[in-house]
Amino acid sequence: MIQVKHLSKAYGDLLVVKDLSFNLVPGEILGFLGPNGAGKSTTMKMLTGFLTPTSGEISIWGHRLPEESLLAQSRIGYLPEGAPCYEEMTPAGFLAFIAEVRGYSGSDATAAVDRAIDTMSLGSVLHQKIETLSKGYKRRVGLAQAILHEPEILILDEPTDGLDPNQKHQVREMIKGLSKEKIVIISTHILEEVTAVCNRVMVLAAGRIVSDSTPADLLAKSSFRDAISLSFQGEQIPNEAVTLLGELNGVKNVMVTADSLVIFPSPGQVNLLADIYESARAHGWQLSSIHVEKGRLDDVFRSLTEGVAA
Amino acid sequence: MSRILRTILKRELQSYFSTAIAYVFILIFLVLSGLFTFYIGSFYERQQADLAPFFTFHPWLYLFLIPAIAMRIWSEERKSGSIELLLTLPIARRHLVLGKFLAAWLFAGIALLLTFPLWLTVNYLGDPDNGVILASYIGSWLMAGGFIAIGSCMSALTKSQVIAFVLCSFVCLLFVMAGFPLVLNAFKGWVPLVVLDTLASLSFLTHFAAVSKGVLSLQDFLFFVSVILVWLGASSIILDIKKGG
Ligand SMILES: Nc1ncnc2c1ncn2[C@@H]1O[C@H](COP(=O)(O)OP(=O)(O)OP(=O)(O)O)[C@@H](O)[C@H]1O
Ligand SMILES: [Mg+2]
């Protein structure tokens, strides 16, 4: 259980995290979203006891920071931004060091290290110096370090940045596969990641929480929610379609994008799909697809964060 | 020694030897101590079987060699960002500071031990008092510890190893020179006598002078130990204040 009350952080005169309050309970997988400089990393640094808050309180499973930071830190696995490591070490040596620090010894240590190596598929680079690893492999070493002691709280700052699609998938599966007793916080700029793994999303802008909800509720805020997208064969959108559909009963407005025509219904409209389909048939437009949008996160993200003053 | 302390000590010591630093340092240390002893220290001309010329130069040798190993203690971690990893692991601050210090100190000890051919030489040439030599070795190692503790503190201040090196050399120079007539004269007359005495008593040179002659008094021993503890304490405080950079 994580409790955060009125958390703020200032660098000199610059206030970068402003009065955050929230609680997290086991089973919650929280996605931190927000533009560059919103304060995501700074917040994570305070939760892990690296930075001392300017004001406010943090308690990690009942352990207050900074007084009981060692107790709190032993329950946290943390991947700092950019996955810093001891570059002159090999993954094998580095993970063995982490295991020792985390209190493992003997065969327990070997088992913990092997499990982390296995989860992050590091087998092929174990004895290569970390400084010579590719960016994605470095990130995987950082992740392996974070999950090694099977922590109750996992805090990952941009965990999938730089990973190949297979590894992205594997990391997401790993997070989803964690037991319901754990708390996970991830920050990311990949919006689909939030819908793929999180059950709670917090959007930060200029150091404040501007939204805190489930991914589904966030999607529902999208102006694209329930809009109907049409794409045409040959990707040519007939001008006639734009005009006629725009004048159709129950249509609020239409939008032409690079490869599709998006039709926004007036509020309370239900039968639009059938009408549009009828029109298309009557005029002989060659549709290649037609679907109802669930909403677009990038659209919500923009409307929530654009123009929020620092 | 606690388990965690050993873990940190081991990792740090390994990291010295996994880069070229260790070998370059040891090589330069050995070459310079040889040069100083035989040429500048007139080892042969003195016609005495002891290592006094060797030890006399140690404060000056340490002045730029010790900062070279101490500068990386924290600066490197700040630069690479690994400090964020290290400080979010459940490790008590004192273990961290002490572990890193001990690794550097042990490393300096290893370099010091590798000067044993000099010891063999004097024993071959004459009949030195080996008790005196042992006391001098211990004293010199203690002094190296003082330099390293200062270096640890300077290194905690900045993520630039170059700045850490310069700061460390400078502060060490102050401590070496504190007992110099040149320095003391500059203060004489306008500062109270207590301050002058305190200044003189802080000098590494004063405390090391007896040591290099083979007299390791409890007072000198305690002096170097307290220098180490005070500067390590300061390192720990600076780390707390300057965590984020
Ligand atoms: N050491 C520091 N000194 C001064 N300002 C800092 C420092 N570290 C971070 N900041 C400022 O704090 C603000 C928040 O930074 P933070 O790294 O938390 O953002 P973020 O949300 O993680 O952004 P990104 O998406 O780019 O990772 C930024 O404006 C940044 O410039
Ligand atoms: Mg960040």
Side-chain angles (χ1 to χ4, degrees), chain B residues 42-116:
Chain B
S42 349
F43 180 73
Y44 290 120
E45 290 79 355
R46 289 173 69 247
Q47 300 281 333
Q48 279 176 28
D50 62 18
L51 281 180
F54 169 63
F55 288 111
T56 314
F57 288 106
H58 279 193
W60 308 105
L61 208 54
Y62 288 166
L63 211 48
F64 64 99
L65 281 182
I66 294 289
I69 52 172
M71 65 185 186
R72 59 167 287 282
I73 293 180
W74 301 105
S75 302
E76 196 178 42
E77 302 248 9
R78 277 199 197 286
K79 189 83 178 182
S80 75
S82 56
I83 193 157
E84 189 167 343
L85 189 78
L86 192 63
L87 295 186
T88 53
L89 288 171
I91 307 173
R93 191 58 42 84
R94 60 176 190 286
H95 288 148
L96 212 49
V97 171
L98 200 59
K100 276 175 166 282
F101 165 78
L102 287 177
W105 201 24
L106 265 182
F107 177 68
I110 292 169
L112 202 55
L113 280 181
L114 287 176
T115 60
F116 72 90

Side-chain angles (χ1 to χ4, degrees), chain A residues 11 41 45 48-52 70-71 73-74 76 78 80-81 84-89 94 97-105 129 145, chain B residues 3-4 6-8 10-12 14-15 18-19 72 76-77 80-93 100 240 243-245:
Chain A
Y11 287 112
S41 300
K45 285 174 194 190
T48 52
F50 178 62
L51 289 180
T52 316
L70 291 194
L71 287 171
Q73 283 166 341
S74 61
I76 298 177
Y78 177 41
E81 188 167 39
C85 262
Y86 290 116
E87 303 256 319
E88 79 281 359
M89 298 180 96
F94 176 63
F97 165 70
I98 296 292
E100 257 181 72
V101 168
R102 294 285 186 187
Y104 292 89
S105 59
K129 279 195 175 187
Q145 162 275 128
Chain B
R3 227 177 74 98
I4 196 90
R6 238 186 1 249
T7 305
I8 294 165
K10 196 175 74 186
R11 199 212 76 78
E12 287 289 317
Q14 275 171 355
S15 97
S18 68
T19 57
R72 59 167 287 282
E76 196 178 42
E77 302 248 9
S80 75
S82 56
I83 193 157
E84 189 167 343
L85 189 78
L86 192 63
L87 295 186
T88 53
L89 288 171
I91 307 173
R93 191 58 42 84
K100 276 175 166 282
D240 261 333
K243 269 194 220 165

Side-chain angles (χ1 to χ4, degrees), chain A residues 11 14 16 34-43 81 157-158 189, chain B residues 244-245:
Chain A
Y11 287 112
L14 187 68
V16 298
N36 294 132
K40 305 180 293 294
S41 300
T42 306
T43 306
E81 188 167 39
D157 204 345
E158 304 194 22
H189 289 298

